[in-house]
Amino acid sequence: MDLVTFGETLLRLSPPGQERLERATELEFRAAGAESNVAVNAGRLGADTAWLSKLPDSPLGRKVTATLRAQGTEPDVAWSETGRQGTYYLEQAGEPRGTNVVYDRANAAVTTATPDELATERVDAAEYFYTSGITPALSETLAETTAALLERATASETTTALDVNYRAKLWEPEEAREVLETLFPDVDVLIAAERDARHVLAHEGNAGEIGRGLADEFGFETVIVTLGADGALAVHDEDVYEQPAFEADTYDAVGTGDAFVGGFLARRIEGGDVRDALEWGAATAALKRTMPGDTALVTREEVEGVLAGGGAAINR
Amino acid sequence: MDLVTFGETLLRLSPPGQERLERATELEFRAAGAESNVAVNAGRLGADTAWLSKLPDSPLGRKVTATLRAQGTEPDVAWSETGRQGTYYLEQAGEPRGTNVVYDRANAAVTTATPDELATERVDAAEYFYTSGITPALSETLAETTAALLERATASETTTALDVNYRAKLWEPEEAREVLETLFPDVDVLIAAERDARHVLAHEGNAGEIGRGLADEFGFETVIVTLGADGALAVHDEDVYEQPAFEADTYDAVGTGDAFVGGFLARRIEGGDVRDALEWGAATAALKRTMPGDTALVTREEVEGVLAGGGAAINR
Amino acid sequence: MDLVTFGETLLRLSPPGQERLERATELEFRAAGAESNVAVNAGRLGADTAWLSKLPDSPLGRKVTATLRAQGTEPDVAWSETGRQGTYYLEQAGEPRGTNVVYDRANAAVTTATPDELATERVDAAEYFYTSGITPALSETLAETTAALLERATASETTTALDVNYRAKLWEPEEAREVLETLFPDVDVLIAAERDARHVLAHEGNAGEIGRGLADEFGFETVIVTLGADGALAVHDEDVYEQPAFEADTYDAVGTGDAFVGGFLARRIEGGDVRDALEWGAATAALKRTMPGDTALVTREEVEGVLAGGGAAINR
Amino acid sequence: MDLVTFGETLLRLSPPGQERLERATELEFRAAGAESNVAVNAGRLGADTAWLSKLPDSPLGRKVTATLRAQGTEPDVAWSETGRQGTYYLEQAGEPRGTNVVYDRANAAVTTATPDELATERVDAAEYFYTSGITPALSETLAETTAALLERATASETTTALDVNYRAKLWEPEEAREVLETLFPDVDVLIAAERDARHVLAHEGNAGEIGRGLADEFGFETVIVTLGADGALAVHDEDVYEQPAFEADTYDAVGTGDAFVGGFLARRIEGGDVRDALEWGAATAALKRTMPGDTALVTREEVEGVLAGGGAAINR
Amino acid sequence: MDLVTFGETLLRLSPPGQERLERATELEFRAAGAESNVAVNAGRLGADTAWLSKLPDSPLGRKVTATLRAQGTEPDVAWSETGRQGTYYLEQAGEPRGTNVVYDRANAAVTTATPDELATERVDAAEYFYTSGITPALSETLAETTAALLERATASETTTALDVNYRAKLWEPEEAREVLETLFPDVDVLIAAERDARHVLAHEGNAGEIGRGLADEFGFETVIVTLGADGALAVHDEDVYEQPAFEADTYDAVGTGDAFVGGFLARRIEGGDVRDALEWGAATAALKRTMPGDTALVTREEVEGVLAGGGAAINR
Amino acid sequence: MDLVTFGETLLRLSPPGQERLERATELEFRAAGAESNVAVNAGRLGADTAWLSKLPDSPLGRKVTATLRAQGTEPDVAWSETGRQGTYYLEQAGEPRGTNVVYDRANAAVTTATPDELATERVDAAEYFYTSGITPALSETLAETTAALLERATASETTTALDVNYRAKLWEPEEAREVLETLFPDVDVLIAAERDARHVLAHEGNAGEIGRGLADEFGFETVIVTLGADGALAVHDEDVYEQPAFEADTYDAVGTGDAFVGGFLARRIEGGDVRDALEWGAATAALKRTMPGDTALVTREEVEGVLAGGGAAINR
């Protein structure tokens, strides 16, 4: 297995056509979560991926696994008789309303997941292990389980990657920093939005300084600072690599960051260097924005097409 | 106010076209609950109705109140910063699959509702107060609040009605019986499906015997035993009234019982006798079955049309 | 041209899934009218057909002509700067609710149509001319125009057919009878539902007696009495022909009568005798019931298949 | 009651996805009208609002009241056995096609509404009364009723507001000016699009000069000149206040003006000064543009968020 | 692997709501084929299943694999640069129209599939191998490949099952018989609809006689004769087992036969005897009829529920 | 007949909402092809048009003719018992994904169309005959038939127009050039995208030089070079006319070129000069971009409105 991820996948309920939830009479029904998104995105580009989690043994839990399998990632889950299936309601909107997320994820089955319930042997055997800062925010148990899996990965020489992915609706910045810093010793690749690096991890300066500062403070092998429309920057082996974003007509922005990580890791896994992987991350992220749902349902050829400069507006 | 009801209203998420949840990509989005259904149904037929509850202050809670207001019932709710909006997933299906409900209602805001948060003065001033056996099943707090509201209604000479509405996914029969029996002294009108009367309330014999037995044991003014396709039977002032069901092409069976109760109460409120009210209940229930959603969005003219024997298959 | 028809075609707005208009958030959008239905239905079976009318010069009027052309009938209309496009709202429902029609057709452009605006030369040249009792009900002008077209057809030796099609929402039985009887001298083929024959045309007895009575009283060449689920009966040249209905799983019953007439006329036009044409009418009507919309979008092969006794439930 | 409005609410039928009416097979089904839009919009921001009108007693009229109640405004209507439910067909389109409205509102029930049919006591008791220049354009009766209600409001010291809202498909500029000028003596707050101020009210100069000129000529307490993408300007107590528009990603532009008025009045009602109210109007208008339908289904928090400068593109 | 199947999976395009293809403006989009249906159906009940085939390397081919993976079967396919993705258009309809299939499957990639392109080692290792009479009908190459795979399975002591599945739109009965009879020596379990047994395989008598006749003639270990609404009958080890069909409210009948086979094989694989497996087949088939699509997306609990006699119409 | 066109019309299957085909569960279903698009577009603006082709005698072929008739063009087709209905799958997307077309058109019935099967007498009698470079790319037979029809048109003094319309998924540039150059002697009006003129026809220089070069080399009466967002340029009688594109909010870009040609030819047919016709082409193309589907379902008034400079964003 090239990449194993661990985290929560939610059912996503969203009104079509930028309608408000209050007035909607039907909802689009998808499944999505940072860690399964990354597994799917990397899997699309050639990596052999699996996602570990715990789900309720119900049609809702099965909706999650069916969705992930359809997209090419192998779900390896503990089926639970207790605990809910987490959901989130998504109201897509342009400015100045902005897209709004209403989480309904408390007491999800996954919040009680312990290492002994999970297929941890997959972590040992994987080349990469990935999780996000959302996972330890969900429960104390999950914070402990996340720590245990990262430790185990480190012990097995599995490279670990963690995206800070700060969610203001889940916890406070201080609490997030405290918990995340306990995990950092077992993290090889850190991904952080510039905003999170400033407000949660309390690093300052320009993006390069932030990246170097994080790398120095915690000894990460690679630090990626994502800059939204300005692209991303990586610090690796003391070098700084800058990657502008590709222009994209945004249809659905949710999951852009996970697409970046998925593209980056997929390229690293197949041997690309950091500069190369940043390009793949940026191209995958741009493609993601053109489609609905949280995942970048793309092909290698499409990513390569973006890197080659694109082509006709209509390909026929 | 003619009728005040109290209970939980859920968001109802159901795949169109008898699709399975696992495979569905969109869901119909409605709001429904036994007590608000009864308020809506009675309101459609002329009663002035309100529904008391507690809801999260979120787009989801507002979806509930918008839906009820649209259907003509006044929601009077405590808005809460804590607690979820309960939901249920509904897979409609014919035999032998049968319609399946997946509840996701634990920790709903309403489960912490106490009398002092609710507009209890509306209960005092109402002619009828209605709740169902679902409400006390949801939490200990709600069991207490239900008891308090029924007591208060009794003290104010508001007639009280309670539908046993046993839900096997919420509690065991014994637990249900124990709690319900503590409420019965403050109940004037009891509605119970024959099956619930047998398995939950432990009454035996034919439907008439069950009805009489319940009336005798607990001193109800009126007992209605519903018999599904066989209609219903009422015991009132020692007399037994039988009411066959009207034949109906069923489009959506959910809410049929609430339509019966809504029609029955609406007619009682405007002075109809028990026999008359049973007919209105049965006609409203039959109309309900022809439409999607949990409520009978009908007119008095339509109910009267059913009672008058129906007319042309196409009315033009 | 084998068949020319004249009348009003409405836009049909109907909630999907047996939803109520009050609660619907989307409507199916079609175009339909008795006379254009008959033209379409006959056209599908091989007749060369046209439909005469008057429409507002607007996207709504063009929706009507686009729909008819798509279904193979040539609309030949007077485009008007004044007058509305008539519509009807259709709530489909099973028993006991029944399907309900809400007409919104007052002041339609067609209500002012006079013979000089219409392509009356097509009536002269046609083998058959058809209209229904709805047309003269719509306005005094239309009653006069209907009379004029029937006269003109008679003068040109075009066979004329008229379906009584009584609409209780448009006029009273007495008024209908009075107007229709002025038209009957120019009608060769009369079609009447048994109910209309009784309540509007005031004929009594069994269906055969009604048919004979009408033929005798007004000298029709052919009288067809339609009997709903019991089929139809024709009186022609003193003979009575009975035709049972073919069993059908009804998806949408609206337009069944027009399908019968379309099938009947199509077969007569190509030389079928009355018995033969009755069978074609009944088969077309049965096929109509299996599909949405007011028209029988069928093929000759499908009609022949019904007459041959049907085949596999799944044809593959 | 803080705000009472009077006018016509139409059913809105629009093809999804910028399809043409001619080719559409389904239509979105909403209810909307300038005066009920304003009541809904102000109601969302905290005002207690009602809408007066006359509607046909039919599923179509009930669709209107259900929609308004769902959005939080109380409809107080005269139910009529005669007269239609007005509708409008809306083809949304970008440039150069532009959005096109096809009105089908002639002979609506409301066109015969007289003061004695309406709940005019609500006008007396309200803080604000609002109507638009569309209402008197619909019939002579409505012009008289509008005048009578404005007079009554003035007599009761209810502040009156009128939006010119010129509709070229309803009347000519000269006719509009003549009628509107008879109403102006009873109007306290005039809202006019700059274009209407020029072409209908025949005022010239820049927007400030137009506003001052109108205030001077008719003695309005407040004149608001709306400037489309350039925002709005108010003249009040001799002072001129300018308000730029907030940038918005437009999903549906219809109802932007009503959102401005609703936001403005809501803020005035709760004691905001003109400058403050202009900001609320502009923010509500910008939010409106991000959602489908004619109303701004927003919260106070969202308006305050716009005024505070907005936040993350995805709020999670 | 418990069960490996081989055959073609098509994209299924069907108008919603029993609309005709000619008039449809949208189509439901699924993937389905007899052999993958059987793999999915058996997989749902606990078997470990894979499906072998050849697909075009395109979004259409990927739609097929995504669909199968979502439903729990592993597709192991040869990706092809040439050859189409087969499709079929499905018009669902009640009687007398009947459901109609329009195949568009000529020149599909799979028609050129040879054993060396396929993961034939999976056939060797499987407990059961299944294909249908559709596969050899598609091309000469496929007839040869089917023969080769059956031979290989026999050589590996993999039990082989073949469903005659005669398709009149693909070949003539005589041609079918000739080809199928060459395959029969390597078939252990034959499934044949009674009609196909008569018209294609030319066996006569009652169902039991047909079953025995086939078993005798070709030496099958098990022969199942399916009887539509009358259930099925198995001849096994000289014994005849009869199994009535479970009553079902049919939502979509397509795939019923494959559900029967899937249920039968799943039970045989886990050690059930023939009688037991027939019951599982019948229950799975009945459940299939209640849902859209070609596969029975069911659980073991649901099948067991049918066998236990069903329960409440609404399970809550 | 003013304009006769000849070519293939495909069924167009596209996921709604920029979804990927792999994940789509429903598809929009339309019919479109360059030559029928041009006929429809010109027909909308007043020309009397017909489209010649060959179609399978199936619901799919009838979907094509129904669609064209609905849009006002007369299909005159050879109905075939053999050959498929061609389709194409369309994934709409913004940059950098771009819109992608998956053709499934091999072995379409039309690929075997010979002149004797077609209503070639319509070509003789028409004012204009139009086809595109797609048609000869589809089969050798069609290349011959295209040549024969162009010759016949020339012999009948029917003006001929051909749009190069190079499709990289159908043939190589060299092959295209070779075939097209054999057709050019019978072409009066050539339309070529600048890119095709360079890469396929191997002309160089700026657009004007390309246009002049083509006119000189092949003796075309008119050469139009289309320049995408930069508009178009015509060389006619030695003069060069430049036409900028009108700005358009693009909803669906497919068919823009055909809209240009349709507008151009319609104006030429009614006597407009080349400059005038270029304006009509550009305006029709801009309008096309605002709506879904391949055709410009517009009115003359709308085209004239664009030429007059547009108007209000909302026309009411």
Side-chain angles (χ1 to χ4, degrees), chain C residues 22 34 113-114 127 208 212 214 241 245 251:
Chain C
E22 286 184 53
T114 54
E127 188 172 347
R212 279 218 185 76
L214 285 164
Y241 304 87
Y251 184 86

Side-chain angles (χ1 to χ4, degrees), chain C:
Chain C
M1 201 57 57
D2 296 318
L3 170 64
V4 170
T5 75
F6 168 62
E8 180 179 21
T9 294
L10 303 164
L11 296 178
R12 161 181 157 159
L13 296 155
S14 52
Q18 306 200 11
E19 183 55 279
R20 302 236 68 170
L21 279 163
E22 286 184 53
R23 196 158 47 187
T25 57
E26 61 178 5
L27 301 175
E28 292 180 14
F29 188 37
R30 299 175 183 269
E35 294 84 2
S36 59
N37 293 348
V38 167
V40 165
N41 296 334
R44 295 291 304 191
L45 302 179
D48 195 8
T49 66
W51 168 78
L52 308 187
S53 197
K54 187 176 176 182
L55 289 172
D57 186 7
S58 76
L60 305 179
R62 291 196 292 273
K63 166 76 179 172
V64 171
T65 54
T67 303
L68 298 187
R69 281 197 306 257
Q71 297 182 113
T73 281
E74 186 179 343
D76 192 334
V77 304
W79 292 104
S80 172
E81 292 305 314
T82 60
R84 301 175 52 232
Q85 171 57 46
T87 65
Y88 83 99
Y89 295 81
L90 176 70
E91 284 189 310
Q92 302 257 17
E95 294 304 323
R97 178 154 59 112
T99 289
N100 188 42
V101 168
V102 178
Y103 285 130
D104 183 16
R105 65 201 299 181
N107 299 309
V110 74
T111 58
T112 62
T114 54
D116 57 294
E117 293 176 305
L118 300 169
T120 47
E121 66 282 5
R122 286 181 177 272
V123 176
D124 306 341
E127 188 172 347
Y128 269 82
F129 173 71
Y130 167 84
T131 190
S132 87
I134 296 168
T135 314
L138 296 175
S139 71
E140 279 186 38
T141 302
L142 274 185
E144 289 165 20
T145 301
T146 305
L149 294 191
L150 285 168
E151 260 181 68
R152 184 156 181 165
T154 300
S156 311
E157 302 199 347
T158 296
T159 306
T160 61
L162 184 139
D163 186 340
V164 167
N165 247 344
Y166 175 69
R167 293 290 181 263
K169 293 189 175 178
L170 294 182
W171 54 358
E172 293 300 312
E174 299 70 29
E175 189 188 357
R177 177 164 50 156
E178 196 175 318
V179 171
L180 292 173
E181 289 187 0
T182 65
L183 304 175
F184 285 172
D186 287 316
V187 170
D188 300 310
V189 180
L190 183 80
I191 303 102
E194 187 190 13
R195 195 169 59 167
D196 293 351
R198 291 190 196 281
H199 297 132
V200 179
L201 302 182
H203 274 251
E204 292 179 358
N206 61 30
E209 290 162 348
I210 287 172
R212 279 218 185 76
L214 285 164
D216 289 351
E217 183 177 0
F218 299 101
F220 299 119
E221 183 184 311
T222 313
V223 173
I224 297 170
V225 182
T226 61
L227 308 166
D230 293 330
L233 167 154
V235 175
H236 179 80
D237 279 354
E238 315 262 323
D239 292 323
V240 176
Y241 304 87
E242 295 186 18
Q243 173 65 43
F246 292 93
E247 282 196 24
D249 298 319
T250 299
Y251 184 86
D252 178 345
V254 180
T256 304
D258 300 331
F260 180 91
V261 176
F264 180 87
L265 294 182
R267 193 59 172 167
R268 288 292 280 163
I269 285 165
E270 66 183 31
D273 62 23
V274 167
R275 175 175 299 288
D276 198 20
L278 281 174
E279 282 185 350
W280 278 61
T284 308
L287 287 165
K288 161 64 203 68
R289 301 180 77 90
T290 67
M291 65 189 72
D294 285 38
T295 50
L297 214 69
V298 299
T299 61
R300 287 182 71 89
E301 290 68 30
E302 289 173 320
V303 170
E304 289 164 354
V306 175
L307 296 179
I314 305 179
N315 181 14
R316 61 191 170 187

